[in-house]
Amino acid sequence: MRYLLSACAALTLSGCVGSFDIPADKLPTANLAQLCGAVMAGRQTANFPLVDRASAELERRNLFTQPELAGIVLGTARPGMSEQAGLCAWGYYWRDVNSTTTAGGTNKQYVFGDGRFIETRYLYTRNGRVTATQP
């Protein structure tokens, strides 16, 4: 299911993207994945009112810092962001996650895209913080 949603959002197929268009009265009840997906879909389809509505709701919930919110709106995950902010910036729909737990903490590698139709990207985190992205 996550792969399908990622593919829909990345390819901006009209039937898929429409499902992320959250009416203003439904924003308070939308979950984090829906809000992040709406920001990404709005960016990709130049539906800036949708980006504005969804990012305003994220800001209202006080889940992210201002620099993290800016990264989410731009679709840019950066080292130092919270893991949730990095996932939100990239649409919150990953294909795979590889996790390693050691005495020093938990490292995760999130895999986005399929490598064939959608460029494969990686988001690396350690103990809840983004440490690197590729590419």
Side-chain angles (χ1 to χ4, degrees), residues 94-123:
W94 58 89
R95 175 179 53 130
D96 211 358
V97 62
N98 302 303
S99 182
T100 304
T101 302
T102 66
T106 302
N107 296 307
K108 294 180 186 174
Q109 175 199 51
Y110 291 90
V111 182
F112 291 78
D114 66 2
R116 291 179 40 194
F117 302 106
I118 304 167
E119 178 185 26
T120 301
R121 300 188 298 172
Y122 303 91
L123 180 75

Side-chain angles (χ1 to χ4, degrees), residues 4 7 16 26 36 39 43 55 61 76-78 80 84-85 90 96 107 112 114-115 120 123 126 132:
L4 176 62
C16 297
K26 301 290 184 195
C36 296
V39 171
R43 259 193 338 263
S55 61
R61 292 183 187 187
T76 306
R78 293 195 174 103
Q84 293 301 315
W90 281 9
D96 211 358
N107 296 307
F112 291 78
D114 66 2
T120 301
L123 180 75
R126 178 172 179 83

Side-chain angles (χ1 to χ4, degrees), residues 35-102:
L35 291 172
C36 296
V39 171
M40 186 177 88
R43 259 193 338 263
Q44 292 178 337
T45 60
N47 184 347
F48 301 114
L50 175 59
V51 173
D52 291 343
R53 286 194 319 265
S55 61
E57 178 61 21
L58 288 171
E59 183 173 16
R60 187 193 69 74
R61 292 183 187 187
N62 201 28
L63 300 173
F64 305 112
T65 66
Q66 287 300 318
E68 287 175 335
L69 281 170
I72 290 166
V73 170
L74 295 173
T76 306
R78 293 195 174 103
M81 287 179 131
S82 69
E83 185 172 342
Q84 293 301 315
L87 293 172
C88 190
W90 281 9
Y92 219 89
Y93 300 101
W94 58 89
R95 175 179 53 130
D96 211 358
V97 62
N98 302 303
S99 182
T100 304
T101 302
T102 66

